Amino acid sequence: MPIRNWINTFGQAKSRDLNSDLDRGYEAALLIQSLELEYYGDRPIRPDLELSVPTSVQATVLRKFRAALNICRTSLDHLETIRGQLDTQELRQLQLIEAVVSRYSPRRTASAPTMSREPDPLPRSFLGVLDSVRRQLDPTAEATLVAGFRRRRDSTLISLKVLLLLILVPLLIQQTSRTYLISPMVDRFAPDLPFLSYPKTQLEEEAVEKLRVFKAEIEFDALLKGKAIPSQEELQQALSTKAEELKEEADSASTHAIKNVLSDLAALMAFVMVCLFSREELRVLRGFFDEAVYGLSDSAKAFAIILFTDIFVGFHSPEGWTVLLDGIANHFGFPARENFILLFIATFPVILATIFKYWIFRYLNRVSPSSVATLRGMNGGG
């Protein structure tokens, strides 16, 4: 019964609506910030300002801005009443929404032409302390705190559940389909259907090399034992037997690669189906990961970023990419071409590093500027 109770909690519309409002408002706030940075020099958007872009582009920008601002205001109205239920990461998202909405509030818009604004009667930090005391003395504060704890617990359970589904379902589908469906079908129809076997050019080259080594081993073994080198007929018979074994190995390797491709496709389809049927749970999972990542200290964030970049785009990454590409090629039965591997290593890590730096500049620099400063310090100020 308790398991059924918390499973039923997953489907409660209230929690999902809260996550949906927060996600929509947060994405809208990020969109407004990106428009400010790209078109207005990181300043507030002004509809009366003429941009150095075509009129149609400016109209599109203003339309996106108005729609995103309406979403932010609507989300903020829904979220203000349940602020006490939000965790640390969700509070950061809510504060970003509040900052964007306050930036374009009617009172502030009216005073936008002036370069200064009227100072607050009391410091904002003092007002924040008073608001915190007021919330703690609220008679419903305890109920709100318990509701927030339960919602975070349910979010954690949902995240773990969908994470296990994303891992276990494709893995089980891959193994079961390969063992009970794909392998028997490929073994049955591969001799009759040519497209169920790869061209064996590389496999034939490997077989020829193995046959040459086998011939040298026979002669070397005879010389070590002091025996006469086998005659041409004996040597031809031994090589013929070995060639038949190598041919069977090549056929088996070819069908093995086909089985890998088909089973991987089945696992991919299973993964896509889980994603389609768990879209709401995936939104919760994304929030769970956001909270886990942004809950780290600035040093831990910088350490994780440096570790990731050094592994995939650092000085030692070519060796790792070479091993990875060789493994993928062997898994799918493709020849590991050295020219392709060198071209991949020369381009993809560079593109990945550029995308990562752009993400740091456009997103992380806004969300956690202290982490960026720590990252620069740990990288030697570069």
Side-chain angles (χ1 to χ4, degrees), residues 200-214 239 242-243 245-250:
K200 302 183 181 61
T201 305
Q202 182 191 12
L203 299 176
E204 289 175 354
E205 294 176 357
E206 295 178 357
V208 170
E209 179 63 21
K210 291 179 180 179
L211 195 63
R212 185 187 65 80
V213 173
F214 178 73
L239 292 178
K242 184 65 176 178
E245 295 178 1
L246 293 175
K247 179 180 181 301
E248 293 178 359
E249 290 181 3

PDB file of all heavy atoms in Angstrom, residues 200-214 239 242-243 245-250:
ATOM      1  N   LYS A 200      33.250  -8.670 -46.898  1.00  0.00           N
ATOM      2  CA  LYS A 200      34.273  -9.249 -46.034  1.00  0.00           C
ATOM      3  C   LYS A 200      35.682  -8.852 -46.469  1.00  0.00           C
ATOM      4  O   LYS A 200      36.625  -9.619 -46.318  1.00  0.00           O
ATOM      5  CB  LYS A 200      34.140 -10.768 -46.028  1.00  0.00           C
ATOM      6  CG  LYS A 200      32.776 -11.264 -45.573  1.00  0.00           C
ATOM      7  CD  LYS A 200      32.757 -12.761 -45.533  1.00  0.00           C
ATOM      8  CE  LYS A 200      31.391 -13.286 -45.113  1.00  0.00           C
ATOM      9  NZ  LYS A 200      30.315 -12.897 -46.035  1.00  0.00           N
ATOM     10  N   THR A 201      35.844  -7.664 -47.040  1.00  0.00           N
ATOM     11  CA  THR A 201      37.169  -7.262 -47.508  1.00  0.00           C
ATOM     12  C   THR A 201      38.168  -7.220 -46.369  1.00  0.00           C
ATOM     13  O   THR A 201      39.249  -7.821 -46.429  1.00  0.00           O
ATOM     14  CB  THR A 201      37.091  -5.890 -48.182  1.00  0.00           C
ATOM     15  OG1 THR A 201      36.118  -5.921 -49.227  1.00  0.00           O
ATOM     16  CG2 THR A 201      38.452  -5.506 -48.761  1.00  0.00           C
ATOM     17  N   GLN A 202      37.799  -6.516 -45.302  1.00  0.00           N
ATOM     18  CA  GLN A 202      38.700  -6.433 -44.160  1.00  0.00           C
ATOM     19  C   GLN A 202      38.877  -7.797 -43.497  1.00  0.00           C
ATOM     20  O   GLN A 202      39.989  -8.173 -43.097  1.00  0.00           O
ATOM     21  CB  GLN A 202      38.175  -5.427 -43.141  1.00  0.00           C
ATOM     22  CG  GLN A 202      39.085  -5.247 -41.930  1.00  0.00           C
ATOM     23  CD  GLN A 202      38.414  -4.468 -40.823  1.00  0.00           C
ATOM     24  OE1 GLN A 202      37.208  -4.254 -40.857  1.00  0.00           O
ATOM     25  NE2 GLN A 202      39.196  -4.044 -39.847  1.00  0.00           N
ATOM     26  N   LEU A 203      37.772  -8.552 -43.382  1.00  0.00           N
ATOM     27  CA  LEU A 203      37.873  -9.865 -42.757  1.00  0.00           C
ATOM     28  C   LEU A 203      38.746 -10.808 -43.581  1.00  0.00           C
ATOM     29  O   LEU A 203      39.485 -11.628 -43.030  1.00  0.00           O
ATOM     30  CB  LEU A 203      36.466 -10.459 -42.585  1.00  0.00           C
ATOM     31  CG  LEU A 203      35.508  -9.656 -41.700  1.00  0.00           C
ATOM     32  CD1 LEU A 203      34.129 -10.307 -41.691  1.00  0.00           C
ATOM     33  CD2 LEU A 203      36.049  -9.561 -40.285  1.00  0.00           C
ATOM     34  N   GLU A 204      38.668 -10.681 -44.913  1.00  0.00           N
ATOM     35  CA  GLU A 204      39.509 -11.526 -45.763  1.00  0.00           C
ATOM     36  C   GLU A 204      40.979 -11.147 -45.600  1.00  0.00           C
ATOM     37  O   GLU A 204      41.859 -12.015 -45.600  1.00  0.00           O
ATOM     38  CB  GLU A 204      39.067 -11.387 -47.217  1.00  0.00           C
ATOM     39  CG  GLU A 204      37.720 -12.037 -47.512  1.00  0.00           C
ATOM     40  CD  GLU A 204      37.260 -11.777 -48.942  1.00  0.00           C
ATOM     41  OE1 GLU A 204      37.965 -11.000 -49.629  1.00  0.00           O
ATOM     42  OE2 GLU A 204      36.230 -12.314 -49.341  1.00  0.00           O
ATOM     43  N   GLU A 205      41.265  -9.857 -45.491  1.00  0.00           N
ATOM     44  CA  GLU A 205      42.650  -9.436 -45.279  1.00  0.00           C
ATOM     45  C   GLU A 205      43.186  -9.993 -43.963  1.00  0.00           C
ATOM     46  O   GLU A 205      44.332 -10.469 -43.897  1.00  0.00           O
ATOM     47  CB  GLU A 205      42.735  -7.911 -45.283  1.00  0.00           C
ATOM     48  CG  GLU A 205      42.411  -7.285 -46.634  1.00  0.00           C
ATOM     49  CD  GLU A 205      42.409  -5.768 -46.562  1.00  0.00           C
ATOM     50  OE1 GLU A 205      42.602  -5.221 -45.440  1.00  0.00           O
ATOM     51  OE2 GLU A 205      42.214  -5.127 -47.605  1.00  0.00           O
ATOM     52  N   GLU A 206      42.368  -9.952 -42.922  1.00  0.00           N
ATOM     53  CA  GLU A 206      42.799 -10.517 -41.644  1.00  0.00           C
ATOM     54  C   GLU A 206      42.990 -12.028 -41.749  1.00  0.00           C
ATOM     55  O   GLU A 206      43.934 -12.591 -41.168  1.00  0.00           O
ATOM     56  CB  GLU A 206      41.767 -10.187 -40.564  1.00  0.00           C
ATOM     57  CG  GLU A 206      41.646  -8.697 -40.259  1.00  0.00           C
ATOM     58  CD  GLU A 206      40.572  -8.418 -39.223  1.00  0.00           C
ATOM     59  OE1 GLU A 206      39.896  -9.379 -38.805  1.00  0.00           O
ATOM     60  OE2 GLU A 206      40.398  -7.240 -38.852  1.00  0.00           O
ATOM     61  N   ALA A 207      42.107 -12.698 -42.502  1.00  0.00           N
ATOM     62  CA  ALA A 207      42.233 -14.153 -42.652  1.00  0.00           C
ATOM     63  C   ALA A 207      43.512 -14.515 -43.410  1.00  0.00           C
ATOM     64  O   ALA A 207      44.201 -15.489 -43.061  1.00  0.00           O
ATOM     65  CB  ALA A 207      41.011 -14.706 -43.376  1.00  0.00           C
ATOM     66  N   VAL A 208      43.827 -13.751 -44.452  1.00  0.00           N
ATOM     67  CA  VAL A 208      45.055 -14.013 -45.207  1.00  0.00           C
ATOM     68  C   VAL A 208      46.281 -13.839 -44.316  1.00  0.00           C
ATOM     69  O   VAL A 208      47.228 -14.636 -44.362  1.00  0.00           O
ATOM     70  CB  VAL A 208      45.129 -13.100 -46.444  1.00  0.00           C
ATOM     71  CG1 VAL A 208      46.502 -13.178 -47.093  1.00  0.00           C
ATOM     72  CG2 VAL A 208      44.057 -13.492 -47.453  1.00  0.00           C
ATOM     73  N   GLU A 209      46.278 -12.800 -43.496  1.00  0.00           N
ATOM     74  CA  GLU A 209      47.400 -12.574 -42.594  1.00  0.00           C
ATOM     75  C   GLU A 209      47.509 -13.715 -41.575  1.00  0.00           C
ATOM     76  O   GLU A 209      48.622 -14.199 -41.280  1.00  0.00           O
ATOM     77  CB  GLU A 209      47.216 -11.239 -41.877  1.00  0.00           C
ATOM     78  CG  GLU A 209      48.308 -10.881 -40.891  1.00  0.00           C
ATOM     79  CD  GLU A 209      49.666 -10.708 -41.552  1.00  0.00           C
ATOM     80  OE1 GLU A 209      49.711 -10.465 -42.772  1.00  0.00           O
ATOM     81  OE2 GLU A 209      50.672 -10.824 -40.830  1.00  0.00           O
ATOM     82  N   LYS A 210      46.383 -14.165 -41.040  1.00  0.00           N
ATOM     83  CA  LYS A 210      46.418 -15.287 -40.095  1.00  0.00           C
ATOM     84  C   LYS A 210      46.911 -16.565 -40.773  1.00  0.00           C
ATOM     85  O   LYS A 210      47.637 -17.361 -40.171  1.00  0.00           O
ATOM     86  CB  LYS A 210      45.019 -15.522 -39.502  1.00  0.00           C
ATOM     87  CG  LYS A 210      44.554 -14.412 -38.581  1.00  0.00           C
ATOM     88  CD  LYS A 210      43.149 -14.717 -38.052  1.00  0.00           C
ATOM     89  CE  LYS A 210      42.672 -13.608 -37.126  1.00  0.00           C
ATOM     90  NZ  LYS A 210      41.286 -13.862 -36.618  1.00  0.00           N
ATOM     91  N   LEU A 211      46.518 -16.748 -42.046  1.00  0.00           N
ATOM     92  CA  LEU A 211      46.965 -17.939 -42.764  1.00  0.00           C
ATOM     93  C   LEU A 211      48.470 -17.900 -43.006  1.00  0.00           C
ATOM     94  O   LEU A 211      49.164 -18.924 -42.910  1.00  0.00           O
ATOM     95  CB  LEU A 211      46.214 -18.045 -44.094  1.00  0.00           C
ATOM     96  CG  LEU A 211      46.276 -19.396 -44.819  1.00  0.00           C
ATOM     97  CD1 LEU A 211      45.626 -20.478 -43.969  1.00  0.00           C
ATOM     98  CD2 LEU A 211      45.573 -19.295 -46.177  1.00  0.00           C
ATOM     99  N   ARG A 212      48.994 -16.728 -43.322  1.00  0.00           N
ATOM    100  CA  ARG A 212      50.436 -16.600 -43.530  1.00  0.00           C
ATOM    101  C   ARG A 212      51.193 -16.885 -42.226  1.00  0.00           C
ATOM    102  O   ARG A 212      52.217 -17.588 -42.214  1.00  0.00           O
ATOM    103  CB  ARG A 212      50.766 -15.190 -44.017  1.00  0.00           C
ATOM    104  CG  ARG A 212      52.232 -14.981 -44.372  1.00  0.00           C
ATOM    105  CD  ARG A 212      52.495 -13.526 -44.689  1.00  0.00           C
ATOM    106  NE  ARG A 212      52.275 -12.693 -43.506  1.00  0.00           N
ATOM    107  CZ  ARG A 212      53.180 -12.571 -42.528  1.00  0.00           C
ATOM    108  NH1 ARG A 212      54.323 -13.240 -42.562  1.00  0.00           N
ATOM    109  NH2 ARG A 212      52.913 -11.798 -41.494  1.00  0.00           N
ATOM    110  N   VAL A 213      50.664 -16.372 -41.097  1.00  0.00           N
ATOM    111  CA  VAL A 213      51.297 -16.628 -39.803  1.00  0.00           C
ATOM    112  C   VAL A 213      51.214 -18.115 -39.454  1.00  0.00           C
ATOM    113  O   VAL A 213      52.173 -18.700 -38.909  1.00  0.00           O
ATOM    114  CB  VAL A 213      50.629 -15.764 -38.723  1.00  0.00           C
ATOM    115  CG1 VAL A 213      51.140 -16.131 -37.340  1.00  0.00           C
ATOM    116  CG2 VAL A 213      50.882 -14.288 -38.990  1.00  0.00           C
ATOM    117  N   PHE A 214      50.109 -18.770 -39.798  1.00  0.00           N
ATOM    118  CA  PHE A 214      49.951 -20.206 -39.512  1.00  0.00           C
ATOM    119  C   PHE A 214      50.969 -21.029 -40.295  1.00  0.00           C
ATOM    120  O   PHE A 214      51.569 -21.989 -39.761  1.00  0.00           O
ATOM    121  CB  PHE A 214      48.528 -20.635 -39.860  1.00  0.00           C
ATOM    122  CG  PHE A 214      48.260 -22.086 -39.657  1.00  0.00           C
ATOM    123  CD1 PHE A 214      48.141 -22.614 -38.383  1.00  0.00           C
ATOM    124  CD2 PHE A 214      48.156 -22.949 -40.752  1.00  0.00           C
ATOM    125  CE1 PHE A 214      47.894 -23.971 -38.199  1.00  0.00           C
ATOM    126  CE2 PHE A 214      47.914 -24.302 -40.567  1.00  0.00           C
ATOM    127  CZ  PHE A 214      47.790 -24.806 -39.279  1.00  0.00           C
ATOM    128  N   LEU A 239      46.976 -26.004 -44.666  1.00  0.00           N
ATOM    129  CA  LEU A 239      46.503 -24.645 -44.956  1.00  0.00           C
ATOM    130  C   LEU A 239      45.050 -24.647 -45.410  1.00  0.00           C
ATOM    131  O   LEU A 239      44.290 -23.727 -45.114  1.00  0.00           O
ATOM    132  CB  LEU A 239      47.393 -24.014 -46.036  1.00  0.00           C
ATOM    133  CG  LEU A 239      48.843 -23.717 -45.622  1.00  0.00           C
ATOM    134  CD1 LEU A 239      49.619 -23.142 -46.799  1.00  0.00           C
ATOM    135  CD2 LEU A 239      48.869 -22.739 -44.449  1.00  0.00           C
ATOM    136  N   LYS A 242      42.934 -24.970 -42.303  1.00  0.00           N
ATOM    137  CA  LYS A 242      42.951 -23.694 -41.580  1.00  0.00           C
ATOM    138  C   LYS A 242      42.134 -22.629 -42.309  1.00  0.00           C
ATOM    139  O   LYS A 242      41.447 -21.821 -41.677  1.00  0.00           O
ATOM    140  CB  LYS A 242      44.396 -23.227 -41.416  1.00  0.00           C
ATOM    141  CG  LYS A 242      44.552 -21.971 -40.590  1.00  0.00           C
ATOM    142  CD  LYS A 242      44.119 -22.198 -39.148  1.00  0.00           C
ATOM    143  CE  LYS A 242      44.372 -20.960 -38.289  1.00  0.00           C
ATOM    144  NZ  LYS A 242      43.925 -21.145 -36.890  1.00  0.00           N
ATOM    145  N   ALA A 243      42.178 -22.627 -43.638  1.00  0.00           N
ATOM    146  CA  ALA A 243      41.408 -21.650 -44.408  1.00  0.00           C
ATOM    147  C   ALA A 243      39.909 -21.832 -44.192  1.00  0.00           C
ATOM    148  O   ALA A 243      39.145 -20.856 -44.108  1.00  0.00           O
ATOM    149  CB  ALA A 243      41.761 -21.754 -45.886  1.00  0.00           C
ATOM    150  N   GLU A 245      38.523 -22.975 -41.476  1.00  0.00           N
ATOM    151  CA  GLU A 245      38.234 -22.432 -40.144  1.00  0.00           C
ATOM    152  C   GLU A 245      38.172 -20.906 -40.166  1.00  0.00           C
ATOM    153  O   GLU A 245      37.290 -20.297 -39.551  1.00  0.00           O
ATOM    154  CB  GLU A 245      39.305 -22.910 -39.157  1.00  0.00           C
ATOM    155  CG  GLU A 245      39.324 -24.406 -38.929  1.00  0.00           C
ATOM    156  CD  GLU A 245      40.439 -24.810 -37.982  1.00  0.00           C
ATOM    157  OE1 GLU A 245      41.161 -23.896 -37.501  1.00  0.00           O
ATOM    158  OE2 GLU A 245      40.587 -26.019 -37.702  1.00  0.00           O
ATOM    159  N   LEU A 246      39.110 -20.285 -40.881  1.00  0.00           N
ATOM    160  CA  LEU A 246      39.115 -18.814 -40.959  1.00  0.00           C
ATOM    161  C   LEU A 246      37.891 -18.294 -41.702  1.00  0.00           C
ATOM    162  O   LEU A 246      37.370 -17.228 -41.376  1.00  0.00           O
ATOM    163  CB  LEU A 246      40.395 -18.345 -41.643  1.00  0.00           C
ATOM    164  CG  LEU A 246      41.697 -18.602 -40.864  1.00  0.00           C
ATOM    165  CD1 LEU A 246      42.909 -18.196 -41.692  1.00  0.00           C
ATOM    166  CD2 LEU A 246      41.681 -17.855 -39.543  1.00  0.00           C
ATOM    167  N   LYS A 247      37.428 -19.037 -42.719  1.00  0.00           N
ATOM    168  CA  LYS A 247      36.225 -18.607 -43.445  1.00  0.00           C
ATOM    169  C   LYS A 247      35.013 -18.641 -42.528  1.00  0.00           C
ATOM    170  O   LYS A 247      34.163 -17.728 -42.548  1.00  0.00           O
ATOM    171  CB  LYS A 247      35.999 -19.521 -44.652  1.00  0.00           C
ATOM    172  CG  LYS A 247      34.755 -19.162 -45.460  1.00  0.00           C
ATOM    173  CD  LYS A 247      34.582 -20.102 -46.628  1.00  0.00           C
ATOM    174  CE  LYS A 247      33.338 -19.716 -47.430  1.00  0.00           C
ATOM    175  NZ  LYS A 247      32.104 -19.753 -46.595  1.00  0.00           N
ATOM    176  N   GLU A 248      34.904 -19.697 -41.720  1.00  0.00           N
ATOM    177  CA  GLU A 248      33.785 -19.767 -40.776  1.00  0.00           C
ATOM    178  C   GLU A 248      33.862 -18.632 -39.750  1.00  0.00           C
ATOM    179  O   GLU A 248      32.836 -18.057 -39.378  1.00  0.00           O
ATOM    180  CB  GLU A 248      33.800 -21.130 -40.079  1.00  0.00           C
ATOM    181  CG  GLU A 248      33.503 -22.290 -40.999  1.00  0.00           C
ATOM    182  CD  GLU A 248      33.572 -23.627 -40.276  1.00  0.00           C
ATOM    183  OE1 GLU A 248      33.867 -23.612 -39.047  1.00  0.00           O
ATOM    184  OE2 GLU A 248      33.326 -24.668 -40.917  1.00  0.00           O
ATOM    185  N   GLU A 249      35.079 -18.301 -39.305  1.00  0.00           N
ATOM    186  CA  GLU A 249      35.232 -17.187 -38.371  1.00  0.00           C
ATOM    187  C   GLU A 249      34.822 -15.875 -39.023  1.00  0.00           C
ATOM    188  O   GLU A 249      34.181 -15.023 -38.392  1.00  0.00           O
ATOM    189  CB  GLU A 249      36.671 -17.112 -37.895  1.00  0.00           C
ATOM    190  CG  GLU A 249      37.089 -18.248 -36.988  1.00  0.00           C
ATOM    191  CD  GLU A 249      38.526 -18.105 -36.531  1.00  0.00           C
ATOM    192  OE1 GLU A 249      39.166 -17.083 -36.878  1.00  0.00           O
ATOM    193  OE2 GLU A 249      39.026 -19.020 -35.829  1.00  0.00           O
ATOM    194  N   ALA A 250      35.181 -15.675 -40.292  1.00  0.00           N
ATOM    195  CA  ALA A 250      34.805 -14.442 -40.995  1.00  0.00           C
ATOM    196  C   ALA A 250      33.299 -14.340 -41.165  1.00  0.00           C
ATOM    197  O   ALA A 250      32.699 -13.274 -40.970  1.00  0.00           O
ATOM    198  CB  ALA A 250      35.508 -14.380 -42.358  1.00  0.00           C
TER     199      ALA A 250
END
